[in-house]
Amino acid sequence: MFYLIALFVILLDQFTKWLIVSKMQFGDSITIINNILYITSHRNRGAAWGILQGQMWLFYAITLIVIVAIIYYLQKAAKGKWLLGVSLSLMLGGAIGNFLDRVIRKEVVDFIHTYIFGYNFPVFNIADSALVIGVILLMIQMLRDEREPKEKSYEENGTHHS
């Protein structure tokens, strides 16, 4: 099931990017919610926030290592841990989605443009969103894993802390 989540992210990401590339010119913008949300045709040849522009060989290598590591952890650590599996599958789908752009287009297609609390946030895409949500869920899972031994210790010792 976790691989289906990753596949869904990849398909949704690639479909939305295809729509942007085929229906909009670079730089075109459509207002969804004025001063908050826009669909803006943008390209990125770097990493997050446009850093490391043009370093494709680095992105290929890092992304392949990340994909292999995520698949390994999905196979080994996610069994019986739903939240961990979902977080890893979102990260896998996001990593593959942007990797496909870099391999096929030599740049990443971005289009979600937001102004959050007046801040002009960098333009991003579905793959980026899946990666961020996956990392947040992974942090929640890690916090839960950290609390679990403490709670068991309290139960075994007959103490309870709120």
Side-chain angles (χ1 to χ4, degrees), residues 71-87:
I71 291 170
Y72 173 81
Y73 282 108
L74 264 171
Q75 293 297 117
K76 298 293 182 193
K79 302 234 188 293
K81 292 188 174 184
W82 181 85
L83 187 60
L84 178 60
V86 170
S87 71

Side-chain angles (χ1 to χ4, degrees), residues 44-56 58-59 62 102:
N44 184 356
R45 292 178 187 252
W49 290 275
I51 60 172
L52 300 172
Q53 290 287 323
Q55 302 295 316
M56 286 298 162
L58 179 64
F59 298 128
I62 290 172
R102 288 188 175 103

